[in-house]
Amino acid sequence: MRNFGSSTMGSTILRDERFAILEECDIHYFQKVVGERAVINDKDELEAANVDWLGKFKGASQVLLRPRTTKQVASILQYCNSRGIAVVPQGGNTSLVGGSVPVFDEVIVNLGAMNKILSFDEVSGVLVCEAGCILENLDKYLAEHGFTMPLDLGAKGSCQIGGNVSTNAGGLRFLRYGSLHGNVLGLEVVLPDGTIVDMLGTLRKDNTGYDLKQLFIGGEGTLGVVTKVSLLTPAKLSSVNVAFLACQDYLSCQEVLVLAKKKLGEVLSAFEFLDRSSLDMALDHLEGMRDPLPSAKQKFYLLIETTGSNENHDKEKLDVFLEDAVRTGHVVDGVVAQDNSQSSAFWRIREGIAEALNKAGAVYKYDLSIPVKDLYQLVEEMRAKLGDSAIVIGYGHLGDGNLHLNISAPKYDEKLLLQIEPFVYEWTSQHKGSVSAEHGLGFMKPHAIHYSKTPETVQLMVKMKNLLDPNGILNPYKVLPSIHI
């Protein structure tokens, strides 16, 4: 695999000799299972599937399969397990850590053709669908019934719910609706040996034995392939307000967060922050972007959203909050969106930063959980460390303590990378943080797992992997450090 995105700490990644080389007889078998049109070996289509969204990781798979049913997925995995053929599950291929592309020549099993909504209960709000459903399509479907998805991501137009579940995606609504560990009620999963495990319950309460579905939420496709999802969805509330605020310093951002929790309470649905460098990145590289506060020129900005059912009540709470924030001096300027178009424009800035970074050149991305009081200190120390060799920006979900640290440079450079890593992981560990807040470990960060997890915890993970996938065929070289030799 071509790897420009992260250090492997001096290790060399070698193809696992246990895995078989694909032969013509294997292609014939796949064609019998899914049909000739669902076996893709066109070079252009394979090129897109072999490369991750950031263009940092590139595999060399010779075939992509598009199963349409769970039974077809099971037949593929059973066969590959018996032959020792490695497999990488793939959804919308929006992973930011190389988790959804081959490392070498693994067979790609893309779930995109499994995109049916199977049922929706308007009383309980429980949605049951196949893993290949695109997140934005699900949200549009639910909106027609007065509900919404409990997660929202910048990649919602292409990411798939199976991938969201497999990576335990967080996103912009995490502050309000919490983790997929809580919102997913049931799963159907195919194990590496082809066994179909039906855990597709729709009950909110079920304490019957071990809650095995949790193993696959955030398992990054290394323990099983998610084929169906049962999800609890909240009602879509009619009153939404979005404010874009400017703060002089990071301490003020923290004070505004505390104030928002007290004054906005149950209607607070998002609390995002971005530094001036992040805003400039979006304004410079995205078409049609306008600075919401052109005269402010402050170091930090906050995007705050409220969602409720009573417009007058919610607006009154927001007004009181903003008055207090300005009176105390924590907010020096701000604007409240007057319509949906302006709200979308504010969100476009926040959601578009990742796209802007991609357009700017090479980018080193770090998705970190850090205690809120310490969170921005890492950005400042990284700037001091790198000087003029790169642009360092910080933004993310301040309400969740989730920093997206990004280092932008004209091109990928090993010397620059060695200045960033392992410093970024050591710093995070010293401050009791996590090296992966919501993106997962993928291929990029297995070597860094020990900065967040104890040796005993990692060893238990290895035992679980060996139990469910003794031949190691499913998404190899990802998540666990034992793969790196």
Side-chain angles (χ1 to χ4, degrees):
M1 169 177 272
R2 184 181 64 183
N3 170 21
F4 298 128
S6 179
S7 168
T8 52
M9 307 301 289
S11 300
T12 300
I13 311 304
L14 302 177
R15 186 184 185 279
D16 194 322
E17 294 181 353
R18 294 178 298 170
F19 299 145
I21 301 294
L22 204 65
E23 298 178 4
E24 194 64 30
C25 62
D26 302 318
I27 301 296
H28 290 321
Y29 177 82
F30 297 145
Q31 290 174 339
K32 289 180 181 179
V33 172
V34 299
E36 291 188 12
R37 297 181 64 181
V39 178
I40 310 300
N41 50 24
D42 176 78
K43 288 185 178 181
D44 291 336
E45 290 193 64
L46 284 174
E47 177 72 16
N50 269 306
V51 181
D52 78 310
W53 183 69
L54 294 173
K56 293 194 299 188
F57 303 103
K58 181 176 182 179
S61 178
Q62 300 301 303
V63 64
L64 179 148
L65 309 178
R66 290 187 175 137
R68 298 177 301 282
T69 68
T70 299
K71 287 186 177 180
Q72 289 180 354
V73 175
S75 295
I76 292 167
L77 291 185
Q78 182 181 35
Y79 179 81
C80 289
N81 190 58
S82 67
R83 280 271 293 119
I85 297 172
V87 174
V88 55
Q90 189 177 85
N93 197 16
T94 57
S95 172
L96 298 175
V97 290
S100 58
V101 291
V103 177
F104 294 102
D105 55 353
E106 300 90 275
V107 170
I108 301 171
V109 177
N110 187 288
L111 281 293
M114 298 177 62
N115 57 7
K116 298 184 184 69
I117 294 173
L118 303 176
S119 67
F120 179 66
D121 186 331
E122 295 194 29
V123 176
S124 65
V126 176
L127 173 75
V128 181
C129 65
E130 292 182 323
C133 291
I134 292 173
L135 178 59
E136 188 172 48
N137 293 345
L138 291 177
D139 204 41
K140 289 179 179 178
Y141 170 84
L142 289 171
E144 297 174 357
H145 299 269
F147 287 77
T148 189
M149 289 293 285
L151 75 160
D152 186 16
L153 309 171
K156 57 181 172 282
S158 53
C159 67
Q160 298 172 12
I161 190 63
N164 299 150
V165 169
S166 296
T167 55
N168 188 31
L172 305 168
R173 294 176 179 168
F174 189 97
L175 179 65
R176 178 66 170 265
Y177 299 119
S179 164
L180 286 175
H181 278 294
N183 290 305
V184 172
L185 301 180
L187 296 175
E188 179 186 78
V189 177
V190 181
L191 299 183
D193 66 358
T195 301
I196 299 172
V197 183
D198 184 354
M199 302 173 284
L200 201 62
T202 58
L203 303 175
R204 293 192 67 179
K205 288 185 173 181
D206 183 5
N207 273 350
T208 311
Y210 304 124
D211 191 6
L212 293 177
K213 70 177 183 291
Q214 301 295 346
L215 287 173
F216 304 95
I217 301 172
E220 301 190 50
T222 62
L223 302 178
V225 177
V226 173
T227 50
K228 293 188 179 75
V229 179
S230 168
L231 195 68
L232 181 66
T233 67
K236 186 176 180 64
L237 303 178
S238 57
S239 171
V240 179
N241 294 290
V242 179
F244 196 89
L245 312 177
C247 300
Q248 289 182 324
D249 52 44
Y250 182 65
L251 180 60
S252 295
C253 294
Q254 298 175 67
E255 296 292 347
V256 176
L257 174 60
V258 172
L259 187 64
K261 290 179 178 179
K262 291 179 179 178
K263 297 293 185 179
L264 299 177
E266 79 285 353
V267 299
L268 180 63
S269 53
F271 196 103
E272 302 291 304
F273 95 103
L274 54 150
D275 60 16
R276 182 70 212 188
S277 297
S278 299
L279 178 58
D280 287 340
M281 185 67 66
L283 296 175
D284 291 344
H285 295 281
L286 298 178
E287 293 183 9
M289 289 292 103
R290 292 185 178 181
D291 189 340
L293 300 170
S295 61
K297 303 298 182 184
Q298 295 299 320
K299 293 181 178 180
F300 294 92
Y301 297 86
L302 302 174
L303 191 158
I304 299 174
E305 181 189 79
T306 67
T307 306
S309 57
N310 187 315
E311 184 175 351
N312 292 333
H313 169 266
D314 298 348
K315 191 69 167 62
E316 182 180 340
K317 294 191 78 164
L318 181 62
D319 288 344
V320 170
F321 158 73
L322 292 174
E323 287 173 6
D324 284 358
V326 172
R327 178 180 54 79
T328 56
H330 300 316
V331 168
V332 295
D333 199 359
V335 59
V336 176
Q338 298 303 302
D339 52 37
N340 289 338
S341 176
Q342 199 169 16
S343 294
S344 297
F346 292 171
W347 273 115
R348 172 66 175 139
I349 292 172
R350 167 59 186 85
E351 293 180 319
I353 297 172
E355 179 186 347
L357 283 160
N358 253 13
K359 292 183 176 181
V363 58
Y364 301 87
K365 305 181 75 70
Y366 298 91
D367 161 53
L368 309 164
S369 275
I370 300 171
V372 174
K373 64 181 178 63
D374 302 319
L375 186 145
Y376 200 73
Q377 183 182 338
L378 174 57
V379 181
E380 294 172 332
E381 290 192 24
M382 187 63 77
R383 280 193 185 129
K385 184 177 177 65
L386 299 183
D388 295 332
S389 62
I391 299 173
V392 180
I393 75 171
Y395 67 98
H397 318 294
L398 194 63
D400 314 330
N402 183 183
L403 169 68
H404 294 315
L405 172 70
N406 288 256
I407 295 98
S408 176
K411 63 180 181 179
Y412 291 110
D413 185 315
E414 188 67 22
K415 291 181 180 179
L416 176 61
L417 181 57
L418 290 175
Q419 287 184 277
I420 301 169
E421 297 182 25
F423 170 78
V424 65
Y425 298 130
E426 292 171 345
W427 193 99
T428 300
S429 179
Q430 289 165 5
H431 290 78
K432 308 299 182 184
S434 169
V435 299
S436 179
E438 61 182 5
H439 294 167
L441 295 172
F443 179 71
M444 175 182 167
K445 294 191 282 190
H447 68 275
I449 193 172
H450 291 293
Y451 291 103
S452 297
K453 301 298 180 184
T454 65
E456 294 80 11
T457 302
V458 174
Q459 187 56 40
L460 188 57
M461 293 180 190
V462 172
K463 289 180 179 178
M464 191 62 65
K465 170 69 171 177
N466 290 337
L467 176 66
L468 295 177
D469 187 15
N471 295 325
I473 67 158
L474 199 51
N475 218 9
Y477 320 104
K478 318 282 177 63
V479 180
L480 295 175
S482 58
I483 301 301
H484 289 249
I485 55 178

